[in-house]
Amino acid sequence: MAILADNGFEQDELTKPKKALDEAGAETKIVSPQKAVVRGWKSKEWGDKLQVDVPLDQANPDSFDALLLPGGVVNADSLRMQPEAVQFVKSFFTTGKPVAVICHGPWAIIEAGEARDRRMTSWPSLETDLRNAGAEWEDREVVVDGNLVSSRMPEDIPAFNSSMVDVFGSVEVRMSHVVSEMQNEEPHVKPPRRDSDVVDVMLQLV
């Protein structure tokens, strides 16, 4: 599971959902435009520094099954201004993978052109931005629209985490089932013909 964040991410909106995913058995990776560490924002001051697992310029969206976008004004504003980050976000929608987003995180989704016709919520000040982008905005603690989970603010994190784990987990189960079927399926390879069969065909062509 990829967690895309830049400096200024809202700390609780990254660390608490990450913990929920880790406890559910997911493998999470922090992806960032920063190379080594990325720093959070906590209340009215800078927060903790977290280790970057995969620098954005080395991140392959195909290596991840889902995406988490934490909020934070500085973080979200920075990401939407970086084409590489916007393309990373867009790729999850293009391939139909689940995305969970909270607070100001939807800015990157808007920039990627993926908000249209989606039911979403966000930090209240993004309501007009999302409606202008074609989304149906709802003032609820969590909105689940297919494989897209969204919430408004840190106070919504318990509901957000629960829905995110459910949606992300159901995708993992489906993928595991498909892989299992592929591994157990007998290959559709026709057995080699007997020499007599080849002779019969050649005689028919004479």
Side-chain angles (χ1 to χ4, degrees), residues 160-176:
F160 177 69
N161 285 351
S162 178
S163 295
M164 173 186 63
V165 169
D166 285 346
V167 172
F168 284 17
S170 66
V171 172
E172 281 202 314
V173 168
R174 290 199 300 271
M175 291 183 65
S176 298

Side-chain angles (χ1 to χ4, degrees), residues 176-189:
S176 298
H177 179 66
V178 170
V179 171
S180 177
E181 284 189 340
M182 291 175 64
Q183 291 174 340
N184 295 328
E185 189 177 78
E186 293 185 3
H188 297 290
V189 179

Side-chain angles (χ1 to χ4, degrees), residues 17-32:
K18 182 181 188 303
K19 181 180 179 182
L21 288 169
D22 290 340
E23 290 179 347
E27 181 181 0
T28 58
K29 299 287 186 181
I30 295 178
V31 178
S32 176

Side-chain angles (χ1 to χ4, degrees), residues 25-146:
E27 181 181 0
T28 58
K29 299 287 186 181
I30 295 178
V31 178
S32 176
Q34 306 303 316
K35 302 299 183 183
V37 296
V38 60
R39 194 168 188 180
W41 185 261
K42 192 170 184 179
S43 185
K44 297 180 180 180
E45 59 186 11
W46 286 105
D48 297 337
K49 293 180 179 179
L50 302 182
Q51 182 71 38
V52 173
D53 297 305
V54 186
L56 179 59
D57 60 7
Q58 299 175 24
N60 181 358
D62 294 338
S63 301
F64 302 99
D65 297 326
L67 174 66
L68 167 62
L69 292 170
V73 178
V74 175
N75 159 65
D77 191 46
S78 175
L79 290 177
R80 68 171 172 171
M81 297 298 292
Q82 301 181 58
E84 195 169 13
V86 173
Q87 184 56 46
F88 187 81
V89 171
K90 188 176 183 65
S91 67
F92 285 83
F93 287 90
T94 302
T95 53
K97 295 179 180 179
V99 175
V101 59
I102 187 169
C103 196
H104 289 79
W107 268 340
I109 296 176
I110 293 172
E111 195 67 28
E114 297 294 342
R116 181 169 296 280
D117 297 327
R118 302 306 300 252
R119 290 173 46 249
M120 299 178 65
T121 192
S122 68
W123 185 259
S125 64
L126 271 68
E127 176 184 355
T128 299
D129 292 345
L130 282 166
R131 290 190 185 280
N132 287 341
E136 180 183 338
W137 189 86
E138 299 182 14
D139 186 14
R140 295 167 51 196
E141 63 178 1
V142 63
V143 175
V144 178
D145 180 24

